Amino acid sequence: MSSTVMKKSMYWFALPALIFYLTFWIFPILRLFQYSITDYNGYAQVYNYIGFDNYKELFRSDILGISLKNTLIYTFVTVIAGNIIGLALALLLNMKIRGTGIYRSLAYIPTLFSAIVVGFLWSYVYMPDYGLISSFLDKLGIANELNFLGDYSTALYSIIFVEIWKTIGTTMIIFLAGLQTVPNDLLEAGRIDGCGSWRLLRHVKIPLLATAITINVTLSLINGLKAFDFPFIMTNGGPGTATNTLIYTIYKMAFTEQLFGKASALGVISFAVIILITAVFVLKMNKREVSA
């Protein structure tokens, strides 16, 4: 069999994957754009094309601004706090201390649980009066009226903390893998030149962790922008609209309010926002990685 025939035959092996990709990714996206300019309610066979009315209504209403604001806060805090805590844990567990393997395993355990398990677990922890935190404070004789998930000002940040707790193991492992590649000779040379721990971290370790930082920031960014699990499980978007994220609002609009056309329009807007923000961050991180 000639090389040309072999090359042509190899394309047939890619055909199943291509069909799967077109069927379950490209086609649904195209249908999303189609539904976004209709009044489709999710079950009627007949629907009307209404142009950009759904988009106009979304931009006139408060729900888009509230959902976008909550999503951006969720993403910003998750990216900053999650990576700082993950890096701190990685630096700590990279030290030569007894039982390092056990501590690394314990730090990674939350990542192994599903979002449903974690959400229900922390719902109990946050529960007022009978929850773990309230019971602990009662044991100490401290009167409290804490309602982490029921207070408009604390609900979103309480969920963000759970997100960080759930994903911190993955962040730590990636940073830890990066720290393992830092040459000891380079660190020793820095110590001989009089560099302290802070200067070694700032001028040696962090620049060499550029790839790990890019990976972790990108993963945290994507997780934050598509946040749905914990707002759905723990607060159902409440209290009020305090924990309404873009993806949760799409779900609520489509499956609760039966406004599939409007939800599709919000999905298109969310798709554009997520792609834009992720692309900007990745390009900037890649430039820093090259310069480092």
Side-chain angles (χ1 to χ4, degrees), residues 18-235:
L18 180 62
I19 294 173
F20 187 88
Y21 180 75
L22 291 173
T23 304
F24 295 101
W25 178 245
I26 300 300
F27 179 71
I29 289 178
L30 295 177
R31 293 288 284 181
L32 181 72
F33 281 96
Q34 179 189 357
Y35 287 142
S36 71
I37 56 174
T38 69
D39 59 358
Y40 182 53
N41 60 10
Y43 57 87
Q45 297 295 324
V46 180
Y47 48 84
N48 302 310
Y49 286 92
I50 57 175
F52 293 98
D53 289 354
N54 288 325
Y55 293 92
K56 292 177 183 177
E57 188 176 346
L58 283 171
F59 281 109
R60 282 196 298 262
S61 66
D62 295 332
I63 191 65
L64 176 60
I66 292 171
S67 301
L68 183 59
K69 177 187 173 183
N70 289 340
T71 302
L72 292 178
I73 292 173
Y74 195 107
T75 304
F76 179 80
V77 178
T78 301
V79 170
I80 301 299
N83 281 279
I84 290 175
I85 297 171
L87 179 58
L89 276 174
L91 290 169
L92 182 63
L93 296 177
N94 194 47
M95 299 170 62
K96 295 180 180 179
I97 55 178
R98 183 179 297 178
T100 304
I102 297 174
Y103 297 135
R104 290 175 182 176
S105 300
L106 290 174
Y108 190 74
I109 283 176
T111 308
L112 303 177
F113 295 105
S114 68
I116 295 175
V117 172
V118 172
F120 278 114
L121 174 67
W122 278 93
S123 294
Y124 167 74
V125 173
Y126 285 143
M127 189 184 298
D129 299 328
Y130 304 105
L132 185 62
I133 295 175
S134 294
S135 299
F136 179 72
L137 293 176
D138 288 339
K139 291 289 183 181
L140 296 177
I142 301 174
N144 73 90
E145 296 181 358
L146 299 173
N147 189 357
F148 293 98
L149 300 179
D151 192 324
Y152 197 97
S153 61
T154 61
L156 182 62
Y157 296 97
S158 300
I159 291 176
I160 291 172
F161 178 83
V162 177
E163 175 75 38
I164 294 172
W165 183 83
K166 168 75 167 64
T167 58
I168 199 66
T170 303
T171 306
M172 177 205 68
I173 288 295
I174 294 172
F175 277 132
L176 198 55
L179 287 171
Q180 299 293 319
T181 64
V182 177
N184 287 325
D185 295 342
L186 197 58
L187 297 175
E188 287 297 329
R191 293 189 186 98
I192 293 171
D193 289 339
C195 292
S197 299
W198 170 248
R199 294 186 68 184
L200 283 174
L201 174 63
R202 182 181 176 185
H203 298 291
V204 179
K205 292 182 180 179
I206 289 182
L208 292 175
L209 286 174
T211 303
I213 293 172
T214 301
I215 293 170
N216 276 329
V217 168
T218 304
L219 290 176
S220 301
L221 190 67
I222 294 171
N223 283 335
L225 291 173
K226 66 181 185 66
F228 169 78
D229 295 338
F230 296 124
F232 174 72
I233 296 165
M234 299 178 68
T235 60

